[in-house]
Amino acid sequence: MLPAERVQKATGLRLFWYTIWARAYPRIIGSTREKSWLFFETVLPLMGTASYVFVYRAIGAPEAYTGFVVLGGAMTAFWLNVLWAMASQLYWDKDGGNLELYVVSPGPLMAILLGMAVGGILMTATRAVIILGVCSFLFNVSYQIASLPLLVLIFVVTMAALYGMGMMFASIFLAAGREAWHISNLLQEPIYLASGFYFPVKAMGFWIATFASVIPLTLGLDAMRQLIFAGDPTLGFLSVEVELIILLVLSVVFIYGAIKMLAKLEEIGRREGRLIERRR
Amino acid sequence: MSITRSFLDTPFVRRSNRLRTFITAAWLGWQIESNWADPFLFAIYSIVRPVTSVLILVVMYSVITNGALQEPIFAYIYLGNALYILVGQVITGVSWSVIDDREHYRTLRQLYTTPMDGYFYLMGRGVARLIIGLISVLITIGFGIIAFQLPISIGAINWPMLLASTILGVLSLAAIGMVVGSLTLMLARHFWSLGDAISGALYLFTGAIFPLDVLPAWLRPIGFAFPVTYWLELARRAILGPNAAKFPTLSGFSDLELTGILAAITLMLLVFSWFFYRWALHRAKENGIFDMETSY
């Protein structure tokens, strides 16, 4: 019998880092092991996006709007992922019995949330790219990218803010119990409307667009559209630079909020003994 | 339960196992759908989603046409989207019962040890979502009349045609829901998105929010195969009367012809769903997957 290999115990930042990848692992590897999800996760939003393209065609909209819808349709994947696989995830984990394993493991809960976000972004990016590619091909969308580095930067910051918000929501949804399901349902169409997923958010008017800017995808999508469909006069609620600064602020606020809320929820949950109670 | 009890106690219902199953399942479905929140929150939840969904289309339309809401195509789009609420609600209402009972409440095994009729149980479970859907449709249409002056006059509505087409439409949707629910009995993966996938496909192919003529010619025949296409056309004609927009694909059909086609497809779907359910149930039991908890 071989002598047992001595395992080096991870602590501090190393533990945090390992925990992130341990939680991201099933999402990343899982998506490559079972490819059938690609059909279900891309065809469904693709049909919804195509419907909105045909509406624009039925009312004689300029061709540029097809591009707006295609980009918005691709970005819905991220919003749905944040709602169903970030915000609701701790609740699912509680229901499935995983949360208690997370709690008793030495890995920090914040790192687990971050791991979910990393895995979620990678998995959803695949889905978004497919929707974007297929729809662009089917509907013959042409792009005029003003600045690729800025576009990438906007995307990264938007994702940081968006998934930061998802991490913050995870604690709120866990506290909400079985209402989490309905909250997620409720936050779909209203956000598609307010954030301008299928039309330039400027069309909603200044005040609604301002309030909707709390959702990172509002400004992220507007900035990306400005950079991808350069020169279209219907775009640009704010300038790309201003939108980038606001998105950076939102990222910091949401991630800080997520840390605070998770700590609070854990403390209350442990004190009242309801953190892993499955009946709620 | 007291209202349900009075139904169950009537001699006619007492004699029928299927009717008792259906009514009890409808009551159970209503409890599950509505008791998670107080009535106020539940009402908001039932209103906000459909209204914002239709507002997306209103904004899209207004941006392009500078607010020409009096054009017939606006009423066509608005009504189509409002009525379509029922499609998703009924199909997923029936099919999700299997997921709820098997995966969430883990009661499928216990349910099927009772003398209930499974087909009528699933149909009954869809009633709650049908009621919620109907309320949402009425609110959305009412909102359209008040906010966007939809050309609808209560007195001018062809009620017999609206009722007949809606009953047939809902029955056909319930049959589709049964087929999806039966498939769910045999699936271990992806069952979450099956109902949504079907209703998403119908949204695209049935001319719910745009005339079928806009679709490429090779895709249009798909729309003709689904009952939703005919139900939506009939309901629009019944509600809007002469104000209904006419498009070449369906304008050649008279009301009677459309009703006949809808009735024939509905009947076929109901018969098919009955046999398909029995086959799927048998397969699920044979393969030992009937009560599996996949945690997928």
Side-chain angles (χ1 to χ4, degrees):
Chain A
M1 194 173 156
L2 292 169
E5 198 182 328
R6 193 174 174 81
V7 178
Q8 200 183 4
K9 205 169 160 183
T11 51
L13 273 179
R14 216 170 121 93
L15 174 65
F16 197 88
W17 181 250
Y18 281 1
T19 309
I20 290 174
W21 289 106
R23 185 62 189 89
Y25 181 87
R27 292 198 168 188
I28 299 167
I29 301 300
S31 64
T32 59
R33 280 196 184 148
E34 190 208 307
K35 307 263 187 329
S36 55
W37 70 272
L38 277 170
F39 175 79
F40 284 91
E41 297 290 313
T42 54
V43 172
L44 176 60
L46 209 140
M47 286 190 292
T49 306
S51 300
Y52 286 119
V53 170
F54 285 120
V55 169
Y56 272 135
R57 292 199 170 164
I59 56 178
E63 274 303 306
Y65 279 81
T66 303
F68 298 168
V69 169
V70 168
L71 186 63
M75 296 306 282
T76 56
F78 289 102
W79 180 242
L80 290 175
N81 186 254
V82 162
L83 279 183
W84 294 104
M86 280 299 298
S88 312
Q89 187 64 41
L90 286 185
Y91 171 70
W92 303 139
D93 283 333
K94 181 170 83 166
D95 201 43
N98 284 338
L99 186 62
E100 57 203 63
L101 300 177
Y102 297 157
V103 173
V104 296
S105 80
L109 269 178
M110 193 61 205
I112 289 171
L113 276 179
L114 213 54
M116 286 193 318
V118 171
I121 289 175
L122 290 175
M123 199 175 141
T124 312
T126 318
R127 177 177 155 172
V129 167
I130 292 173
I131 296 170
L132 200 62
V134 172
C135 282
S136 302
F137 172 74
L138 287 177
F139 300 117
N140 201 19
V141 182
S142 55
Y143 302 100
Q144 269 190 306
I145 298 172
S147 164
L148 189 59
L150 193 54
L151 180 65
V152 173
L153 183 64
I154 290 280
F155 178 78
V156 171
V157 178
T158 304
M159 287 303 115
L162 183 67
Y163 278 82
M165 191 172 86
M167 286 154 68
M168 197 172 84
F169 277 2
S171 304
I172 299 170
F173 280 33
L174 181 62
R178 66 185 180 134
E179 287 179 22
W181 173 267
H182 299 282
I183 298 171
S184 288
N185 255 325
L186 194 58
L187 287 176
Q188 283 180 206
E189 280 81 0
I191 299 302
Y192 293 164
L193 171 69
S195 297
F197 274 70
Y198 300 108
F199 48 81
V201 73
K202 213 161 93 171
M204 292 296 288
F206 178 79
W207 288 109
I208 294 179
T210 303
F211 284 119
S213 298
V214 176
I215 309 289
L217 275 175
T218 308
L219 295 180
L221 200 52
D222 191 59
M224 280 189 267
R225 279 182 180 144
Q226 287 188 65
L227 292 167
I228 291 177
F229 305 100
D232 194 289
T234 59
L235 293 171
F237 166 55
L238 299 167
S239 72
V240 175
E241 291 74 19
V242 173
E243 287 178 340
L244 178 62
I245 292 167
I246 297 173
L247 284 168
L248 279 167
V249 173
L250 286 176
S251 310
V252 174
V253 169
F254 284 138
I255 292 170
Y256 179 76
I259 296 168
K260 286 286 166 197
M261 282 199 179
L262 192 62
K264 189 77 187 161
L265 181 93
E266 207 178 337
E267 185 227 313
I268 294 172
R270 282 180 196 275
R271 185 154 34 86
E272 296 181 1
R274 291 192 288 114
L275 188 61
I276 55 171
E277 189 195 17
R278 288 189 213 173
R279 284 171 298 168
R280 294 185 74 245
Chain B
M1 187 69 188
S2 57
I3 300 171
T4 316
R5 172 59 60 195
S6 59
F7 273 118
L8 290 172
D9 285 341
T10 52
F12 177 66
V13 176
R14 281 171 75 112
R15 279 197 294 273
S16 168
N17 182 37
R18 286 171 179 166
L19 266 179
R20 273 187 287 123
T21 304
F22 181 82
I23 292 168
T24 311
W27 171 82
L28 176 66
W30 180 255
Q31 294 304 313
I32 292 172
E33 294 297 333
S34 65
N35 79 352
W36 58 273
D38 64 76
F40 179 70
L41 188 63
F42 179 66
I44 289 185
Y45 173 76
S46 307
I47 295 166
V48 169
R49 248 194 110 175
V51 168
T52 49
S53 162
V54 84
L55 281 178
I56 293 173
L57 290 167
V58 172
V59 176
M60 285 169 67
Y61 180 87
S62 301
V63 166
I64 301 303
T65 62
N66 287 321
L69 305 183
Q70 70 287 352
E71 295 294 324
I73 191 157
F74 175 72
Y76 178 99
I77 294 171
Y78 192 101
L79 262 186
N81 196 70
L83 292 165
Y84 198 83
I85 294 167
L86 281 182
V87 177
Q89 290 281 19
V90 176
I91 291 179
T92 53
V94 175
S95 65
W96 264 74
S97 311
V98 175
I99 302 172
D100 268 347
D101 292 340
R102 189 178 79 187
E103 304 283 336
H104 188 58
Y105 301 115
R106 293 155 195 171
T107 52
L108 201 63
R109 197 180 312 154
Q110 285 83 351
L111 278 167
Y112 278 79
T113 56
T114 68
M116 69 166 196
D117 185 306
Y119 185 90
F120 283 83
Y121 169 76
L122 290 181
M123 282 285 194
R125 284 288 301 274
V127 170
R129 289 229 191 160
L130 169 67
I131 294 169
I132 296 167
L134 277 172
I135 295 168
S136 300
V137 169
L138 290 175
I139 288 168
T140 310
I141 294 176
F143 180 71
I145 294 171
I146 295 164
F148 307 116
Q149 285 80 49
L150 284 182
I152 298 172
S153 159
I154 305 293
I157 293 174
N158 184 344
W159 290 103
M161 188 160 96
L162 180 63
L163 281 174
S165 63
T166 303
I167 290 169
L168 286 171
V170 167
L171 281 174
S172 68
L173 293 173
I176 295 172
M178 275 305 301
V179 173
V180 179
S182 307
L183 275 173
T184 307
L185 277 174
M186 300 185 292
L187 284 179
R189 292 175 289 178
H190 304 302
F191 46 80
W192 297 103
S193 34
L194 199 59
D196 287 336
I198 304 282
S199 51
L202 293 177
Y203 197 56
L204 175 62
F205 294 118
T206 59
I209 53 169
F210 54 85
L212 281 178
D213 310 61
V214 183
L215 277 178
W218 57 277
L219 281 177
R220 281 177 220 157
I222 301 174
F224 289 120
F226 291 110
V228 180
T229 309
Y230 306 101
W231 166 54
L232 289 176
E233 177 69 13
L234 278 166
R236 281 194 191 103
R237 287 186 191 183
I239 295 171
L240 295 169
N243 296 318
K246 291 177 179 63
F247 297 100
T249 36
L250 292 171
S251 60
F253 293 94
S254 70
D255 297 347
L256 202 62
E257 284 171 330
L258 287 174
T259 311
I261 297 169
L262 178 60
I265 297 178
T266 303
L267 187 65
M268 279 192 289
L269 275 171
L270 282 170
V271 172
F272 175 72
S273 69
W274 171 259
F275 286 107
F276 189 73
Y277 167 76
R278 295 173 75 85
W279 175 77
L281 186 66
H282 176 73
R283 288 271 305 175
K285 285 181 177 174
E286 277 286 309
N287 295 337
I289 54 172
F290 169 71
D291 59 343
M292 66 181 166
E293 287 158 20
T294 62
S295 299
Y296 184 73

